[in-house]
Amino acid sequence: MKLENLFVKQPKKGPVQKGSLKAKSTAASKEVKLKNNASFGQKALKGVYDVLTSVKRAKINYSQNNGTLLQGYIPSVGFLGRNSYNGSTAPSLGFVFGSQTDILNNAIANNWLVTRNPNDSTDTYYNKNYGKTKNSKLDYTVSVKPLKSLTIDLRGNRIKTSNISQQLDIINDGFGSFAQNENIRAFETGNYSISHFMLGTMFANSDNLYQNFRAYRSTIANRLYDETGLPRPSNPNDPAFQENGQQVMLPAFIAAYSGNSPNSVDTGIFRNVPIPNWTLRYNGFMKYKWFKKNFTSFTLSHGYRSSYTIGNYTNNLQYEFGEANTSGNFQPELLISSATLIDEFSPLIKVDFRMKNSLSFKGEVRRDRSLTLNFNNNTITDINGTEYVFGFGYKLRDVKFVTRFTGKKETMKGDINFRADISLRDNITLIRSVDEENNQVTGGETLLGIKFLADYNLSSNLTASFYYNHQTFNYAISTTFPRQAINAGINIVYNLGN
């Protein structure tokens, strides 16, 4: 079935009789439409076609940088970095050409590294490390135009870094066998960040979200018992997935503040698929007669960004499956210092227009939220902010200025540009102690900012400007006094060039 058979071809323009209703309805629409009796499959295919053609640009970037540091390497470097040693060629051809397959075990088995005999007191200890790094980054951008006047940009990203370090202590048993000291384990550190989605709770009450977090912990703990197969405690001294443990709090934290169900949220640390954030820009008002008559441009904008970040993670050197730590909590395989969820409307709504009488206006509302779960002291740092920004501009054209600065009367003519911005930002920082159920305001402020600028183009080389900046700070805690900052001045700039 050909795609072109699904559509009705519009008739060519021809003579139109006055009062012809059919001719008017035909000329009123030039869009390609489906036949009235089209099947469901045809309509679905048309929908897919519309979606595909609305995508104007798509870009995906994935990069990965890997490296290996192998100290204590004995063989010399020959052609292509290889040389014969102990009846074999060292190192492997794959390693020479960049393969990051773990070479340590291969090097130990072939005796390519410095070794020691623990039974020989004169055999010195070799204090060197084996290192391995891996950095991966995924970015994608998709630009969609579902309407001629509406542009939607979707963006997603994921970044993960990993650094592995291990003390080398190769034991030689004296009988041709070599092995790494099993008491020395590899140490891994890294960072992780991915685009996220928290829109469902952006306007929710923060106290209610915190109570959801506390309530979700028992559900997460029950899921972990089922997923791992570890036994539930029969008395208070048995190992358990405790509600204040990392494995329980992290999924409960993500579920509560992202608006997910505790029964379906991923209990792991990392996410594979970056959820797209977006920006929208609409300028379709200019197609209407009233806007064309009064404005030279009129644009509405909206944007949303969110991220989930692990500030630092390390592998747990004491990890054994089913073993508990000193607090009675099952040992996690990775230890996390903190997890942060951030989302912001940048902006929630923005109106930007310029009128034909040289008056311009910009108004926007921004909202942001940052939530950090700290596992070192089991606290949640909750920061919320709202900002309003209004900007005005006006241009006076061909303003004359008479001067006798050079001793003779001289008339200068140029445009005067006036710009004024008013911003009001209110943010507050609240720390919630999970163990003690204690909430305390530790920071925050109300900031009022006023900026004014007037510049006068006296000539193509000479510009004079006047500026005034005013900021008022009122802090949320009583130990910090209110503060004001004011600065103003005049600038005269003369360009010596052409």
Side-chain angles (χ1 to χ4, degrees), residues 255-461:
Y257 289 98
S258 301
N260 300 328
S261 169
N263 296 307
S264 60
V265 67
D266 191 341
T267 56
I269 295 175
F270 306 115
R271 288 7 181 202
N272 294 323
V273 180
I275 302 175
N277 302 156
W278 63 82
T279 57
L280 284 74
R281 190 172 185 272
Y282 181 73
N283 56 9
F285 290 104
M286 290 302 296
K287 65 183 178 181
Y288 297 106
K289 184 177 180 180
W290 186 83
F291 283 90
K292 286 182 178 180
K293 180 181 178 181
N294 296 281
F295 298 90
T296 58
S297 65
F298 195 103
T299 304
L300 294 180
S301 303
H302 164 75
Y304 176 78
R305 291 186 296 179
S306 178
S307 64
Y308 162 54
T309 302
I310 299 295
N312 181 49
Y313 70 86
T314 62
N315 63 325
N316 188 354
L317 298 179
Q318 298 179 343
Y319 171 76
E320 294 291 343
F321 180 76
E323 296 294 326
N325 56 24
T326 56
S327 300
N329 189 58
F330 285 121
Q331 291 276 11
E333 189 171 356
L334 293 177
L335 297 175
I336 301 173
S337 59
S338 64
T340 302
L341 294 173
I342 295 176
D343 67 339
E344 60 179 329
F345 286 118
S346 55
L348 175 62
I349 184 68
K350 178 180 178 181
V351 180
D352 190 352
F353 65 78
R354 181 178 295 275
M355 303 185 70
K356 290 190 174 181
N357 61 2
S358 298
L359 176 67
S360 61
F361 172 80
K362 177 185 69 175
E364 60 181 305
V365 180
R366 301 172 183 171
R367 189 179 177 94
D368 56 84
R369 175 176 56 160
S370 175
L371 301 143
T372 300
L373 176 59
N374 193 318
F375 296 99
N376 295 326
N377 53 10
N378 286 351
T379 60
I380 293 180
T381 303
D382 187 346
I383 304 175
N384 284 274
T386 304
E387 184 175 8
Y388 304 92
V389 179
F390 302 96
F392 304 89
Y394 189 75
K395 177 181 286 189
L396 286 177
R397 301 183 183 275
D398 299 331
V399 177
K400 294 182 179 181
F401 178 73
V402 180
T403 179
R404 296 182 181 272
F405 181 75
T406 60
K408 64 178 181 178
K409 183 177 180 181
E410 186 176 352
T411 301
M412 297 181 178
K413 183 173 69 173
D415 298 336
I416 300 181
N417 297 303
F418 298 96
R419 290 190 295 274
D421 292 305
I422 303 174
S423 62
L424 177 64
R425 176 171 176 78
D426 188 13
N427 64 280
I428 192 162
T429 300
L430 180 67
I431 293 183
R432 304 177 187 272
S433 179
V434 180
D435 295 334
E436 301 175 2
E437 297 187 42
N438 180 36
N439 304 330
Q440 185 176 0
V441 176
T442 60
E445 63 185 10
T446 299
L447 170 61
L448 173 64
I450 301 174
K451 296 181 179 181
F452 176 78
L453 175 65
D455 59 69
Y456 185 17
N457 298 318
L458 298 170
S459 67
S460 59
N461 298 89

Side-chain angles (χ1 to χ4, degrees), residues 130 164-167 180 184-188 315-317:
Y130 164 73
I164 298 176
S165 179
Q166 184 176 14
Q167 173 69 53
Q180 165 73 10
I184 302 177
R185 302 179 63 175
F187 182 66
E188 180 182 5
N315 63 325
N316 188 354
L317 298 179

